[in-house]
Amino acid sequence: MVARELLGCVLVSRHARVVTAGRIVETEAYLGPEDAASHTAFRPGSRALFYGEGGHAYVYLNYGVHYCLNAITNPAGEPGCVLIRALAPTEGLPAMARRRGTPSSPRIASGPGNLTRALGITLRDNGADLTTGRLVILPPATPSPVTVACGPRIGITRSVELPLRFWIEGDLSVSGARRR
DNA sequence: CTCTGGATTGAC
DNA sequence: TCAATCCAGAGG
């Protein structure tokens, strides 16, 4: 599963002259029509991206307040994406804190909305190429042996029971479990 | 054009 | 526990 491989990869955002980056420590997988929580199930407009070629970004404004960053994972024609939920800051922490308007903290990019705000990601990054654009995902610089845990997804109202959420065990930047 | 849901967050 | 806040889809 690609969601698992993404853990430990580094997400780099270059906005103007500011570079912010972090290690991906938490992801969630979203599937095609058979996944009731996937946007493909109730948001046809997102289908073009879901079914598009892998390696592109799918950015979505949620609750009118927060953005969510997804990576399209599958070859063209096959729906599937991974929601990036949390980052462990590795570069540009002060810039993240400035964008967030909060003090620097390991949890500055913990949670989908926090993450996108910290990296300055907006709707205009929707559909961007994650291999060449100002938003890039790199393989782990130093493949560190980590424990990957998996469990139910968070914050959704459908198919919550599917164990499609992955995170790095014990990492400080993983977002805390919430209930609904 | 109006109505409304939603993969969240942080303050009460 | 609850309100903030905005896009796109659905319906008129």
Side-chain angles (χ1 to χ4, degrees):
Chain A
M1 176 140 289
V2 186
R4 202 187 180 92
E5 297 171 14
L6 237 38
L7 289 175
C9 287
V10 176
L11 178 64
V12 181
S13 157
R14 291 188 302 266
H15 196 302
R17 314 192 296 279
V18 184
V19 176
T20 46
R23 203 165 52 103
I24 297 171
V25 296
E26 186 180 357
T27 62
E28 270 180 22
Y30 285 86
L31 313 177
E34 73 277 13
D35 180 359
S38 168
H39 279 182
T40 53
F42 60 93
R43 232 187 110 161
S46 67
R47 277 185 202 156
L49 278 166
F50 267 66
Y51 284 86
E53 193 178 349
H56 287 250
Y58 167 44
V59 182
Y60 160 69
L61 176 61
N62 163 48
Y63 291 93
V65 183
H66 304 287
Y67 294 101
C68 296
L69 173 64
N70 300 259
I72 309 298
T73 57
N74 292 2
E78 283 182 52
C81 77
V82 174
L83 168 66
I84 300 176
R85 290 189 56 88
L87 241 55
T90 57
E91 194 174 339
L93 185 51
M96 295 186 193
R98 177 161 37 82
R99 288 187 183 127
R100 287 286 317 275
T102 62
S104 293
S105 140
R107 316 198 40 137
I108 195 90
S110 173
N114 292 335
L115 182 153
T116 50
R117 272 212 311 268
L119 294 203
I121 295 168
T122 65
L123 275 188
R124 66 189 203 75
D125 294 306
N126 195 21
D129 189 333
L130 287 175
T131 61
T132 62
R134 78 174 190 88
L135 205 53
V136 181
I137 293 181
L138 304 172
T142 56
S144 52
V146 291
T147 307
V148 174
C150 88
R153 294 180 292 188
I154 289 180
I156 55 178
T157 56
R158 306 158 178 252
S159 301
V160 186
E161 70 285 355
L162 297 178
L164 292 176
R165 172 174 175 250
F166 301 86
W167 67 96
I168 293 180
E169 184 96 16
D171 195 290
L172 280 181
S173 299
V174 172
S175 70
R178 285 167 197 265
R179 40 249 169 269
R180 157 117 349 202

